[in-house]
């Protein structure tokens, strides 16, 4: 669909030859078997084999690759560890996949100024490991933190269970060094907060590889909290658990994490990990508090009271790290565990205002019942970030199609309740088609004008995020009719 | 300097005629006497009279004004309350000043979802007043919070004494409705966090009026802390006070505010407010903690111990709100109070990494001594945001010039220590000339390409932020020589 703006394919051998001017032969892959390793990211049902894969070791090498692509009109896609769930690192068939896994040096850990400087391929958890000896850590904690890269976190603005209190990746990045799509090496942000000029750091974080390739990242480090307390509370229904969430947040407590799992998710987790969640629970909450001992002791008692007041029939407090790990094991394994109770499933990711929780869960149940599919719910309840798991059996005629429809319907529910089509997984290849439900044409046009400012040739991760790529230089015509949800006043929702 | 991209001046009467198609006659000002009221903002030494002033009451009226300007090629500048300190709302002589003071409705206070929706002319403190009855508040607290507007806070990404713990305006805005420079009405962000697509909300906040005019803002509300504790600690020297700051932050405590005043600033504050700061203090710290009672009691004791360990000879704890107000009175009046000890002064605003405090203060002292001018220091010590007040007497030949040189030299010191040319006052008209010391040409060029994406005709607040406006559509040539500070490796500082 973007062939109109791209030159005809350049032969892989020609690209490899040009890249070899500055990259070692071992860093350039054109062998079909080896290329196939890079066909997809964590969203495995989209697969494309790239023309060439490169594994640069320095920013100068990234710059060389991008300059060659820019000169020849070849699309390129950046990839970290490839754990993304929206197909953001899906390769382009005529393009170059720039894999940052060889750029894995931690350049500096400076706890006095509360920061570290790392290359983009550095594994998320390795930042924390490097800072832990001095008692500091890197806050963003996607479930994949043992394998995902900081560069990928920057591209997707990754969240995690603890982003209720600590925010997303964008709240933990002070600066980035970037190769822009025309091959310039620029810096956004720096070592201090609130640098002057446009906050292009903010726009770059979460731009899903469409504005350039990160070659260096300055991340914030946080001091490890003095104490952590974790509890597991059993409820008879998701409504009761949701009411407890509202009571806790409404009282002014900001837990480090507050996670809700419904009966089907509990069943899956039990089947996989035998985590021993309370018998007969229609929902469980995992609540974690961290901070100074004096504060946490005080608020932890209040949280338990809110749970009891809202019908929790069993509360387990982790007495030590081993018990805390057991509580989290069920929660963190929930996605994979669903494989135990269903041959196939779709992981959805949407956001609703927290106050709409009961209403949306109920509507989601009706939607699933009507289609005859099951939906398991696991979510970051504190900030309304839902992760419905839509279960189906690809072996049964029509089930995949019905699951896909329910999954899309869930996003419509999120939108009609004032929410968003993605909380932390990104738009990527998967959700570009949903963007016009959330944004007006003027909104999308404004975003694409920014994209054209960075990438007039449309070479940097083309086909992602935007449903219909805008031809740069094009004069925008009069607006066509908006999507029904937009007409219904969503665009004016505030 | 931007005349090359602008059409010849359009007569004020013609503009007024067009604006009258949608604005009431009382909302259009062309009378020279009334126009002169709008000559400057808080940075009073730049003054320009605009051709026309408009006071729209709705987003549709703002859109009409901007569309007329876009059609006729007339520059326009947005202005809230006009309290900015960098000349960001300085009018354009051939242009239209769009004053938002008639757009002052608080449209919604929704504490359950922790937000309020306001028009851009709403006064900062009025948001807190509207939410206070339910126990909530709006965190950004610039010194001007009793008069400055939320729209102005958005444009300048305003900070305040409490932004160490709570962050800048950008951390408290969830969404904005904006009229873009070509007259489209778009929304960035929304009611939920982390909306998909580019984070243009982040880029817009702090863009100083160069990307369009805000017509509606969704702000975050925070629950009022359970308790607040404030102390004033006297030290013999700024070095000792700075060491106490490092000890407090290094221990993992995040005070709501931690402010440092040196001997000259104390002298000025005493002269103006008789605030009774400790006798013989070479520096004072104001430290405020807030949060749950249990936490604050615990950490407040630790903070006092850090002060004593670093040589504080007197610590006063505010016993009640009246005593807290007295402690803050000296601090908040310090800028104006300097008028008691010097006929004229420049308020500078720069940032350094906190660990460089002693080094930079010492170098700043040498700089001032060499030039024979005095510098008083008041600053947000926790995040290294300096506010040096350079004192001079405009009646003495050459003093203003020397003060200006020292003031610029202070920014060079900030930069050479890895800091920034502005912490919270913005670039505006005043600091555009310093931007090339902080950014490479590629960095500035990338920002201006984004500006061109929004504003190809360069009509929205022209002449601000960027030292040399880029002609949109221009193909960037090869880079010229960088500024010495850039060559010295600052661009590679991380």
């Amino acid at each position: 669909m973007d062939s109109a703006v791209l030159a005809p394919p350049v032969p892989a051998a020609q690209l490899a030859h040009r890249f070899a001017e500055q990259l070692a032969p071992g860093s350039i892959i054109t062998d079909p078997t080896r290329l196939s390793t890079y066909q997809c990211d964590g969203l495995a049902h989209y697969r494309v084999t790239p023309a060439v894969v490169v594994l640069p070791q320095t920013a100068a090498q990234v710059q060389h690759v991008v300059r060659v692509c820019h000169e020849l009109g070849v699309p390129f896609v950046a990839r970290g560890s490839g754990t993304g769930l929206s197909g953001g690192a899906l390769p382009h068939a005529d393009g170059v996949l720039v894999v940052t896994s060889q750029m894995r040096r931690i350049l500096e850990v400076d706890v006095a100024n509360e920061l570290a400087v790392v290359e983009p391929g550095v594994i998320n958890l390795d930042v924390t490991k490097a800072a832990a000896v001095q008692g500091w850590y890197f806050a963003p904690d996607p479930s994949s933190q043992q394998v995902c890269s900081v560069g990928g976190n920057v591209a997707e603005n990754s969240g995690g269970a603890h982003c209720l209190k600590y925010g997303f990746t964008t709240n933990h990045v002070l600066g980035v060094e970037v190769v822009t799509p025309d091959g310039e090496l620029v810096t956004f942000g720096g070592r201090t907060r609130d640098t002057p000029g446009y906050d292009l750091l903010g726009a770059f974080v979460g731009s899903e590889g469409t504005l350039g390739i990160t070659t260096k990242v300055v991340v914030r480090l946080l001091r490890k909290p003095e104490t952590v307390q974790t509890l597991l509370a059993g409820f008879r229904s998701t409504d009761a658990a949701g009411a407890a969430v509202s009571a806790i947040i409404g009282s002014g407590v900001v837990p480090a994490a507050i996670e809700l799992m419904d009966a089907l998710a509990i069943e899956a987790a039990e089947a996989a990990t035998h985590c021993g969640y309370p018998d007969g629970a229609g929902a469980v909450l995992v609540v974690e508090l961290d901070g100074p001992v004096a504060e946490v002791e005080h608020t932890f008692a209040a949280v338990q009271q809110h749970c009891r007041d809202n019908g929790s029939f069993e509360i387990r407090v982790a007495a030590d790290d081993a018990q805390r790990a057991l509580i989290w094991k069920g929660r963190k394994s929930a996605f994979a565990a669903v494989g135990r109770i269903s041959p196939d499933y779709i992981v959805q990711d949407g956001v609703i205002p927290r106050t709409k929780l009961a209403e949306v869960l109920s509507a989601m149940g009706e939607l699933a019942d009507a289609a005859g599919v099951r939906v398991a719910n696991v979510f970051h309840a504190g900030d309304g970030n839902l992760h419905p798991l839509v279960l189906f059996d690809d072996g049964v005629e029509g089930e995949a199609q019905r699951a896909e429809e329910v999954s899309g319907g869930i996003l419509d529910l999120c939108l009609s309740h004032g929410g968003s089509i993605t909380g932390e997984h990104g738009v990527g290849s998967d959700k570009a088609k949903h963007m016009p439900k959330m944004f007006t044409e003027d909104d999308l046009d404004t975003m694409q004008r920014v994209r054209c400012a960075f990438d007039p040739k449309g070479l940097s991760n083309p086909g992602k995020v935007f449903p219909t790529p805008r031809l740069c230089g094009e004069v925008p015509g009069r607006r066509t009719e908006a999507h029904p949800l937009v007409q219904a006043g969503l665009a004016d929702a505030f």
Side-chain angles (χ1 to χ4, degrees), chain A:
Chain A
M1 67 189 156
D2 24 62
S3 56
V5 290
L6 300 179
V10 175
Q14 184 188 339
L15 287 169
H17 181 74
R18 288 295 306 277
F19 297 153
E21 291 164 10
Q22 292 200 22
L23 277 75
S27 301
I28 305 167
I29 300 172
T30 52
D31 168 64
T33 311
R34 290 185 63 204
L35 286 179
S36 67
T37 315
Y38 298 98
Q39 275 180 344
C40 68
D41 60 11
L43 187 73
H45 67 267
Y46 295 104
R47 291 176 183 271
V48 174
T49 304
V52 181
V53 169
V54 292
L55 297 102
Q57 299 188 313
T58 63
Q61 290 182 345
V62 174
Q63 204 174 5
H64 175 69
V65 168
V66 170
R67 282 183 167 164
V68 169
C69 288
H70 184 251
E71 179 192 329
L72 302 177
V74 173
F76 57 89
V77 176
R79 173 189 165 114
S81 300
T83 56
L85 292 170
S86 59
L90 186 73
H92 191 288
D94 301 327
V96 178
L97 190 72
V98 182
V99 180
T100 59
S101 59
Q102 302 289 314
M103 298 176 72
R104 202 162 271 186
R105 288 179 302 163
I106 294 177
L107 302 168
E108 192 182 339
V109 174
D110 176 1
V111 298
N113 285 304
E114 304 166 325
L115 61 84
V117 185
V118 305
E119 291 187 328
V122 167
I123 299 304
N124 173 302
L125 197 60
D126 286 348
V127 183
T128 289
K129 285 180 184 166
V133 58
Q134 295 174 84
W136 295 69
Y137 76 111
F138 177 52
D141 63 338
S143 300
S144 56
Q145 70 179 135
Q146 298 192 16
V147 287
C148 66
S149 71
V150 175
N153 297 163
V154 167
E156 298 295 327
N157 189 20
S158 304
H162 291 79
C163 64
L164 170 63
K165 180 168 180 178
Y166 293 104
F168 294 84
T169 299
T170 193
N171 303 112
H172 298 274
V173 172
L174 293 167
V176 287
E177 179 188 83
V178 169
V179 174
T180 59
D182 57 356
E184 287 175 1
L185 190 70
V186 302
T187 61
F188 303 141
R191 286 172 169 261
T192 54
R193 295 200 297 179
D194 189 33
T195 52
Y198 299 146
D199 179 16
L200 298 184
L201 176 64
F204 185 83
V205 176
S207 62
E208 307 195 13
T210 61
L211 301 181
I213 301 181
T214 309
T215 51
K216 213 182 279 179
V217 189
V218 186
V219 298
R220 282 176 67 200
L221 296 177
L222 298 187
R223 194 163 175 106
K224 273 193 208 166
E226 199 174 280
T227 192
V228 179
Q229 290 278 15
T230 310
L231 67 75
L232 177 78
F235 294 83
R236 295 295 172 203
S237 68
T238 51
D239 277 7
V245 171
S246 288
I248 292 166
I249 304 279
S251 73
V253 174
V254 183
I258 184 163
E259 304 278 307
L260 199 159
M261 293 167 69
D262 72 2
L264 197 52
I266 296 169
E267 182 192 329
E270 284 290 350
T273 69
H274 309 290
C275 46
Y277 281 1
D279 283 335
V284 295
L285 282 185
V286 175
V287 187
E288 189 158 284
L289 299 182
D290 65 14
V293 172
E295 173 195 2
V296 171
E297 276 177 4
H298 173 73
T299 43
F300 200 57
V303 165
Q304 292 179 57
Q305 192 58 49
H306 286 302
C307 287
R308 280 190 293 269
D309 290 348
N310 286 281
S312 173
F313 62 91
E314 184 173 345
I315 296 177
R316 292 188 200 157
V317 175
D320 52 33
D321 284 348
Q323 291 188 12
R324 181 174 8 269
L326 189 66
I327 288 177
W328 276 110
K329 192 178 174 191
R331 161 64 187 88
K332 291 200 172 175
S333 66
F335 285 13
V338 162
R340 298 278 181 136
I341 60 166
S342 174
D344 302 286
Y345 61 96
I346 298 167
V347 180
Q348 190 47 285
D349 168 48
V351 182
I352 53 169
R354 203 185 49 249
T355 50
K356 301 288 172 65
L357 209 62
E359 208 176 308
V360 172
L361 284 179
S362 159
M364 209 189 294
E366 287 167 24
L367 193 70
D369 288 348
V373 302
R374 294 182 301 166
V375 176
N377 271 296
V378 179
F379 46 85
H380 308 320
D383 42 16
N385 185 187
L386 313 177
H387 288 308
L389 301 153
V390 185
L391 315 188
F392 67 100
D393 182 346
D394 207 15
V396 177
E397 170 96 22
E399 271 209 11
Q401 169 70 18
R402 288 206 302 280
E404 190 64 52
E405 282 165 15
V406 168
S407 183
I410 289 172
L411 293 186
D412 289 341
L413 278 176
C414 290
L415 286 172
S416 62
H417 287 82
S420 161
I421 59 169
T422 170
E424 54 188 12
H425 294 177
V427 178
S429 306
D430 199 35
K431 292 188 171 175
K433 61 180 177 292
H434 296 294
M435 290 287 276
K437 299 181 186 175
M438 183 153 182
F439 297 102
T440 65
E441 282 208 30
D442 281 345
D443 290 346
L444 288 172
D445 187 59
T446 303
M447 288 185 207
Q448 295 221 59
R449 281 188 280 159
V450 171
R451 191 219 164 101
C452 290
F454 278 77
D455 186 15
K457 295 187 175 180
L459 299 176
S460 192
N461 214 8
K464 312 295 167 65
V465 182
F466 299 106
T468 43
R470 183 181 195 270
L471 297 179
C472 300
E474 185 185 24
V475 177
R478 267 308 85 203
R479 306 299 143 212
T480 57
E481 208 172 314
H483 183 277
L485 282 169
V486 172
Q487 291 185 315
L490 250 196
D492 298 323
F494 59 85

